[in-house]
Amino acid sequence: MSIVSNLSATRRPRDNQVFSQATGMTHQMSWPATAVFLSLGLLAGGCMSNAAPSEASLSGTATYRERIALPAGAVFEATLEDVTRADAPAEVIGRTRMDSPGNPPFKFTIPYDPTRIDQSHRYTVRAKVTHGDQLMFTTDTQYPVLSAGQPSHVDLRMPPGTEPTASTATLEDTYWKLVRLGGTAVTVADGQREPHFVLQPGERRVAGSGGCNRMMGSYALDGDKLTFGQMAGTMMACPEGMDVEGAFHAALGKVATWRIDGETLELFDAGGASVAEFESRYMK
């Protein structure tokens, strides 16, 4: 009987003590239960490790061909932009800025939220170097990234920007031709009117064209602050240019401030992002 008793004791599964954080107590658990408990813990840990990252980054370099050194106080800035919609300004997804960046090439990284990337959208990177109000260098070509098999690294080339000139154009009583909406250049189809506006100071009225339809409305001006009222116009449907016209009207509704550099007018939203750019054409 003693031998049988000893064999039975040998075959009985041993218990193991497990501390529970939920109850603050120590519990007895058999080895099979312990194995299940540990397996679930490992699975949970594996699921947690597969969670989507909260931040991603895009890398690149930017340079220019001119053999000149940047002055002290120059600033390099690069932006990642969603340029999918032709009827709306580009949406900035991420940006980076370097004060006094030194000499090119400039190596940069743009952090962004990966949940904002849609593979059916189009994304580009823009870069510029400024010194005070002077645009020294800027990209003039779209550099696609991230979606549709495009890379997450870009090498940018920045041609010289416009030379600093005295502002001879005035905001009012100048024919302003639309040349860029957000990060997208505006092109005009053959036979189509160019999008433009003129601010008439007498009654603070806006007159112009969206490219297809004439437009009119009001505006308010206070120093560098500028806002547009609701635009009205004709209701023709054109075979081309309607997307640009819609984006033009939408951009005017976002304007908060303005700046003229030489013969170029740039309009900004309340956050300081550029929504539209124009070139002056003098009225006779």
Side-chain angles (χ1 to χ4, degrees):
M1 291 294 296
S2 60
I3 296 175
V4 173
S5 299
N6 289 337
L7 288 173
S8 299
T10 303
R11 291 171 183 167
R12 193 178 74 179
R14 292 184 300 168
D15 291 339
N16 190 37
Q17 291 186 340
V18 176
F19 179 74
S20 171
Q21 293 184 346
T23 63
M25 300 174 61
T26 300
H27 302 274
Q28 295 291 330
M29 184 175 291
S30 64
W31 279 113
T34 304
V36 172
F37 178 79
L38 292 174
S39 297
L40 290 175
L42 291 172
L43 287 173
C47 293
M48 290 177 65
S49 65
N50 292 329
S54 59
E55 185 174 274
S57 62
L58 177 147
S59 63
T61 65
T63 190
Y64 52 82
R65 291 181 177 177
E66 288 68 21
R67 301 174 67 86
I68 61 173
L70 295 180
V75 175
F76 170 81
E77 184 176 17
T79 54
L80 168 63
E81 302 176 353
D82 185 336
V83 296
T84 307
R85 295 182 57 187
D87 61 344
E91 178 186 3
V92 176
I93 304 299
R95 70 172 71 238
T96 189
R97 172 189 170 106
M98 291 188 287
D99 296 328
S100 300
N103 295 320
F106 310 120
K107 296 182 179 180
F108 63 88
T109 300
I110 303 177
Y112 65 91
D113 181 355
T115 63
R116 298 182 65 185
I117 302 301
D118 185 331
Q119 288 300 313
S120 65
H121 286 204
R122 292 187 299 113
Y123 302 92
T124 64
V125 176
R126 295 177 65 195
K128 63 181 179 180
V129 175
T130 57
H131 183 240
D133 292 334
Q134 177 188 358
L135 178 62
M136 298 190 65
F137 300 95
T138 183
T139 50
D140 60 358
T141 302
Q142 289 195 349
Y143 291 86
V145 292
L146 298 182
S147 62
Q150 299 296 341
S152 58
H153 177 92
V154 287
D155 296 308
L156 312 178
R157 189 171 297 278
M158 301 180 294
T162 56
E163 293 295 328
T165 57
S167 297
T168 55
T170 60
L171 179 64
E172 297 172 309
D173 280 335
T174 298
Y175 181 109
W176 290 109
K177 173 189 174 182
L178 179 67
V179 295
R180 186 179 292 274
L181 282 169
T184 305
V186 173
T187 57
V188 179
D190 292 340
Q192 180 185 341
R193 297 187 66 184
E194 60 187 21
H196 72 278
F197 69 68
V198 178
L199 302 185
Q200 302 170 339
E203 298 180 355
R204 293 287 173 94
R205 303 296 297 172
V206 183
S209 171
C212 176
N213 292 282
R214 290 187 296 109
M215 68 179 187
M216 60 207 75
S218 61
Y219 69 96
L221 179 63
D222 181 13
D224 67 344
K225 295 180 175 58
L226 174 66
T227 56
F228 290 87
Q230 183 67 38
M231 294 291 113
T234 54
M235 300 292 290
M236 294 189 300
C238 298
E240 294 183 89
M242 296 301 294
D243 53 345
V244 172
E245 182 166 284
F248 188 11
H249 282 260
L252 292 179
K254 298 178 180 179
V255 174
T257 60
W258 63 279
R259 182 181 67 198
I260 291 177
D261 181 10
E263 305 299 324
T264 300
L265 166 66
E266 196 165 6
L267 303 180
F268 304 89
D269 64 17
S274 176
V275 297
E277 189 175 311
F278 304 79
E279 291 179 352
S280 62
R281 298 289 186 270
Y282 290 105
M283 299 174 63
K284 297 181 179 179

